[in-house]
C-alpha cells in the first residue's frame, strides 16, 4: 500500500485503536482493526527454522510448536563464510513462512560474540562486525525476496544472557560505532530489513527500547531504516517512552498495559499523538506489504528442506586438525564413540528451539560402512558409567580409527543464562583421554555453539568443528569424515586456549547490572593479534583436503585519497589433488598513527570453488570505511594519513601476502586549539598551515633563546634541537610562557589568529 494511503488509514483510526496497534494482540500477532480492513500479522522465531506456535505462546521454547526443519544455527552458518549459502537459507525460510502465513521471521540473531561464555552465542554469527553484517545481509535478502519480513536482533549491545533484561552495557562511543553498531549498520543499509528487534538491556543506562539515539537518530536518521522497530518479547519498560523514542511495536501483548500507558501520556501531554501515528504508519506499511504479496502456492516441504539442511551443514563444518588421518577410507574399521553419533546435538535451547520433524544422525548414515558404535556417555545426565567407558575403550581397541562424537550437552548452552566456564564436560574429556590411550588414530567431532577448551588436543590426530549443524548434521559429518565432501568451513571466531585469555574475561557478565565493555574495540582477534596472545585456533582458520596457493597480490593504485577506491586482486590456485573451496580473507593493517587501533581488521572475504590445478583471480574494492576508525572528536569516520597494509591471509593470524597503499584524508578536521592544547597537536594540524608556520618560527626563536641561555657545552650535548622539539611535542601551549619567553596575551592572540584562520 502506498505511503499516502497508509497515512490516510491512520488518520481514520481512533486514538484508542492507534495506541492498541502499538502493542501485540497476543503472543505472536499484531492487532487488527476490522472496521478499517486492517489485518493482523503473525510473527515467529527464527532464525534457523520456524518455531511457529499455534496454541499457547512462550518465548523460551517451552511450549510446543509445529513440526519444522532445523537448519544449521547461526554459529555454524557463519562458519561457511558463504553469502550465497545464507541467502539460500533465507530463501528456504521465506518460502516456509509464506506457506505458514508468517509475515516476519524473528532473525537473524547477530549480536557480536564478545565472550565465548554468552549462552546465546550459538545463534550469533561472529566476533567480527563486518562478517556478521555481510552474512545477515545475505540471509535477509533471501527471506525478503519472498515478501516476508525479517527482524535482525537484538539491537543493541546485548552480548550476554546474565541479567539480560536489566543490565546496562556501558560502552564508549568509538567501540559502539566500530564493533556493536557496525554489526547492524552494513546490514540495515544494504538489506533494508522490514523490522528490527530492540534488545532487553540498557545501553549506557537507557533501555534499548527507550533509546532515541539508537532507534531514531542513528537507525532511521543516519542509516535510513524504514520498517518498524519491535521490542524483544517483554523488553518494554514504559510503552509511552518507547514509542516516543522510536520503538513502534511492543511484543507480546501486555494485556492493555502498554496501550493504557500510551493513552495516559497523550492525555498528560508528555507524548505527542504524531509519535503514535508514526509508529502506526511504520507497522501498517509492513503489515500490508505482507498481506498484499502472499505467495498462495507456497508449500512447506519438510522432507525436501531437511535434505537442504544436510547440504548446508556440509558447507559449515570446519576441519581444525588433520595429521594425515582424514578423510577415512571406507574399508577401515571405524568406531563411532559418543552419544552424539546416534543422537546429535544440533541446536541450542530457548526461543530458537525447533520441533524437528526428522533427525539424521551420523549412525543413520553409516549403512554400508564398517562402523561400530559405543555410547560413551549420557549427555542428559552428563555422566559416564564405568561400563560405558569400558565399552568405548574396547570398541576403540578393536577398530582402525576411533571417531569421538562429543561436545556440549543441551544444558550447557541456552538462551537465558551464560556458561560459567569454557570447559567440556569432565566425563567427555575423560572419555577422549581413555580412548586416545588405546588407539593412536583418534578423530574428534565437536558439537557446540561456541569455543571449548581442548586439553586433549595433542592426543588426537583429527578434529572437526561441527558447531550446531541442524537436524541433518549426521549426513554432513559422515560425508566429510569419509571424504565425499571436502570441508570448507572457517572459524568465524577465535578459539582461545583458556577462558582467561579472552579480552572481555575480567569484565564479562559479573552478577551486576553494570557491565563495562572495558576491552573497547579489542574484541576477539582484534585483541589476540594485537597483543600476540597464543590461541588454539585463530579467527578465519580452517583446513581442507586440498591445498591452495596465493600469488600476485596487486592494487590498482598505491596512493589515494580516502574518498577514492582501491581495487585489490589476488590469484588463488588449487595446488592439491581434489576440488575444494577456499575462503579468501582480506585484512587491512593501519599505519602506526596517533590513534590506537587493532593491528588488522577484516575488510573483505569471498568463498571460491576450485578444481585441482585451477586458478582464479579474486578482487575486492576498498573504500573509505576499510581504512577508517570512528573519531570521537568529530563524531564521524576518519582516515589518518599514512600507508596501510592490504593483507591477504588464510586466517587473522596467517597473512600470506601484503602490499601497501598510501591513503590521504580528504576532509579537514577543524580543531580549536587553546592554551592547554599540546604544541605537537597544533604543529601537525593540516588546517592551520600558515598560522602554524608563524608560530613555529616564534617557537624556534624561543627555544633557541633557551639554548643560548644554557650555553655550557655539556648542556648543549645533553639537549640538541631535535630532542628539544621532541619534548616540546607534548607540552601544552601555555608552557611557552615559562619556556618560550612568550606572554599569555601574545600566545592567546596567536591562538585566536590560528583558530580563526
Ligand atoms: C528472545 C528473542 C525471541 C523472542 C520471541 C526472546 O526471549 O530474546 O530472540 O525472538 O523471545 O520468542
Amino acid at each position: 500500500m502506498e505511503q499516502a494511503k497508509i497515512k490516510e488509514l491512520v488518520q481514520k483510526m481512533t486514538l484508542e485503536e492507534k495506541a492498541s496497534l502499538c502493542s501485540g494482540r497476543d503472543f505472536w500477532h499484531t492487532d487488527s482493526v476490522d472496521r478499517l480492513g486492517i489485518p493482523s500479522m503473525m510473527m515467529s522465531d527464527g532464525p534457523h527454522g520456524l518455531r511457529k506456535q499455534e496454541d499457547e505462546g512462550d518465548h523460551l521454547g517451552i511450549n510446543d510448536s509445529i513440526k519444522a526443519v532445523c537448519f544449521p544455527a547461526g554459529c555454524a552458518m557463519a562458519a561457511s563464510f558463504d553469502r550465497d549459502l545464507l541467502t539460500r537459507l533465507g530463501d528456504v525460510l521465506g518460502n516456509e513462512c509464506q506457506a505458514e502465513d508468517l509475515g516476519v521471521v524473528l532473525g537473524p540473531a547477530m549480536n557480536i560474540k564478545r565472550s565465548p561464555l554468552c549462552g546465546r552465542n550459538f545463534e550469533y554469527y561472529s566476533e567480527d562486525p563486518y562478517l556478521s553484517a555481510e552474512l545477515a545481509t545475505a540471509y535477509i535478502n533471501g527471506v525478503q525476496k519472498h515478501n516476508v519480513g525479517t527482524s535482525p536482533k537484538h539491537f543493541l549491545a546485548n552480548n550476554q544472557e546474565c541479567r539480560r533484561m536489566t543490565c546496562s552495557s556501558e560502552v564508549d562511543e568509538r567501540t559502539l560505532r566500530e564493533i556493536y553498531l557496525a554489526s547492524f549498520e552494513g546490514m540495515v543499509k544494504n538489506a533494508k530489513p522490514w523490522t528490527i528487534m530492540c534488545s532487553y538491556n540498557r545501553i549506557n543506562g537507557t533501555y534499548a527500547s527507550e533509546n532515541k539515539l539508537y532507534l531514531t537518530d542513528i537507525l532511521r536518521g543516519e542509516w535510513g531504516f524504514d520498517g518498524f522497530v519491535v521490542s524483544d518479547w517483554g523488553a518494554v519498560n514504559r510503552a509511552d517512552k518507547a514509542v516516543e523514542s522510536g520503538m513502534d511495536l511492543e511484543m507480546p501483548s501486555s494485556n492493555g498495559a502498554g496501550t493504557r500507558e500510551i493513552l495516559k501520556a497523550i492525555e498528560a501531554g508528555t507524548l505527542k499523538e504524531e509519535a503514535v501515528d508514526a509508529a502506526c504508519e511504520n507497522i501498517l506499511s509492513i503489515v500490508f506489504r505482507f498481506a498484499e504479496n502472499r505467495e498462495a502456492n507456497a508449500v512447506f516441504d519438510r522432507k525436501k528442506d531437511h535434505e537442504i539442511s544436510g547440504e548446508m551443514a556440509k558447507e559449515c563444518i570446519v576441519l581444525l586438525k588433520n595429521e594425515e588421518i582424514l578423510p577415512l577410507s571406507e574399508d577401515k574399521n571405524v568406531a563411532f564413540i559418543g552419544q552424539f553419533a546416534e543422537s546429535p546435538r544440533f541446536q541450542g535451547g530457548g526461543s530458537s528451539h525447533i520441533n524437528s520433524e526428522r533427525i539424521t544422525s551420523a549412525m543413520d548414515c553409516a549403512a554400508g560402512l564398517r562402523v561400530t558404535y559405543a555410547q560413551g556417555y549420557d549427555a542428559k545426565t552428563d555422566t559416564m558409567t564405568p561400563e560405558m567407558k569400558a565399552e568405548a575403550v574396547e570398541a576403540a581397541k578393536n577398530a582402525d580409527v576411533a571417531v569421538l562424537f562429543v561436545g556440549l550437552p543441551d544444558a550447557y548452552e541456552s538462551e537465558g543464562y551464560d556458561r560459567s566456564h569454557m570447559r567440556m564436560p569432565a566425563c567427555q574429556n575423560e572419555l577422549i583421554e581413555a580412548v586416545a590411550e588405546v588407539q593412536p588414530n583418534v578423530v574428534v567431532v565437536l558439537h557446540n555453539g561456541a569455543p571449548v577448551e581442548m586439553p586433549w588436543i595433542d592426543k588426537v590426530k583429527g578434529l572437526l568443528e561441527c558447531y550446531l549443524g541442524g537436524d541433518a548434521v549426521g549426513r554432513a559429518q559422515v560425508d566429510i569424515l569419509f571424504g565425499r565432501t571436502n570441508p570448507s568451513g572457517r572459524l568465524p571466531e577465535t578459539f582461545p586456549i583458556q577462558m582467561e585469555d579472552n579480552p572481555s574475561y575480567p569484565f564479562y557478565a559479573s552478577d551486576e547490572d553494570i557491565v563495562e565493555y572495558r576491552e573497547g574495540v579489542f574484541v576477539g582477534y582484534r585483541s589476540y593479534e594485537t597483543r600476540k596472545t597464543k590461541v588454539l585456533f585463530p579467527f578465519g582458520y580452517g583446513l581442507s583436503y586440498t591445498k591452495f596457493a596465493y600469488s600476485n597480490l596487486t592494487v590498482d593504485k598505491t596512493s589515494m585519497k580516502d574518498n577514492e577506491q582501491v581495487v585489490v586482486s589476488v590469484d588463488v590456485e588449487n595446488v592439491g589433488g581434489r576440488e575444494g573451496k577456499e575462503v579468501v580473507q582480506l585484512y587491512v593493517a593501519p599505519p602506526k598513527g596517533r590513534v590506537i587501533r587493532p593491528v588488522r581488521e577484516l575488510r573483505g572475504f569471498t568463498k571460491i570453488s576450485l578444481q585441482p590445478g585451477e586458478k582464479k583471480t579474486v578482487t575486492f574494492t576498498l573504500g573509505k570505511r576499510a581504512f577508517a576508525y570512528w573519531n570521537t572528536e568529530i563524531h564521524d569516520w576518519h582516515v589518518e594519513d599514512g600507508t596501510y597494509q592490504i593483507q591477504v591471509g588464510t586466517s587473522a593470524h596467517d597473512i600470506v601476502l601484503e602490499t601497501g597503499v598510501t591513503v590521504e584524508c580528504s576532509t579537514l578536521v577543524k580543531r580549536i586549539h587553546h592554551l592547554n592544547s599540546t604544541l605537537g597537536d597544533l604543529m601537525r594540524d593540516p588546517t592551520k598551515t600558515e598560522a602554524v608556520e608563524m608560530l613555529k618560527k616564534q617557537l624556534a626563536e624561543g627555544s633557541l633563546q633557551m639554548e643560548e641561555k644554557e650555553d655550557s657545552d655539556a648542556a648543549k650535548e645533553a639537549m640538541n634541537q631535535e630532542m628539544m622539539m621532541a619534548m616540546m611535542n607534548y607540552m601544552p601551549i601555555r608552557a611557552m610562557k615559562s619556556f618560550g619567553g612568550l606572554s599569555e596575551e601574545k600566545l592567546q592572540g596567536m591562538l585566536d589568529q590560528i583558530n580563526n584562520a
Side-chain angles (χ1 to χ4, degrees), residues 66-69 100 300-306 357:
I66 60 164
K67 287 281 180 201
V69 179
E100 289 295 326
F300 185 175
D301 183 341
R302 290 163 173 79
K303 190 157 180 281
K304 184 169 141 231
D305 291 357
H306 178 73
E357 196 197 44

Side-chain angles (χ1 to χ4, degrees), residues 28 45 51 59 120 153-154 164 200 232 351 415:
W28 299 114
D45 286 305
R51 188 176 70 97
H59 64 122
R120 258 185 123 167
K153 59 192 187 182
H154 312 85
R164 67 172 170 163
Y200 286 124
D232 197 346
S351 61
E415 177 173 342

Side-chain angles (χ1 to χ4, degrees), residues 68 119 142 183 187 220 234 422 514 541 579 650 664 725-726:
S183 167
M187 173 278 298
R220 285 188 197 278
M422 212 176 76
I514 297 296
Y541 184 79
E579 187 258 332
T650 52
E664 196 190 318
M725 291 308 271

Side-chain angles (χ1 to χ4, degrees), residues 471-533:
D471 56 24
V473 70
R475 157 71 50 222
Q477 291 169 333
V478 169
D479 278 8
I480 286 183
L481 284 169
F482 289 91
R484 297 169 199 155
T485 299
N486 190 352
S488 63
R490 303 289 182 265
L491 291 180
E493 63 195 318
T494 313
F495 274 46
I497 294 173
Q498 53 179 5
M499 197 47 235
E500 291 79 355
D501 295 338
N502 178 265
S504 76
Y505 173 74
F507 324 114
Y508 186 78
S510 67
D511 201 4
E512 298 275 346
D513 269 342
I514 297 296
V515 183
E516 292 178 86
Y517 285 46
R518 288 205 198 176
E519 70 284 6
V521 297
F522 293 92
V523 176
Y525 72 85
R526 285 169 167 74
S527 163
Y528 300 120
E529 287 307 308
T530 305
R531 293 192 166 93
K532 295 192 166 50
T533 313

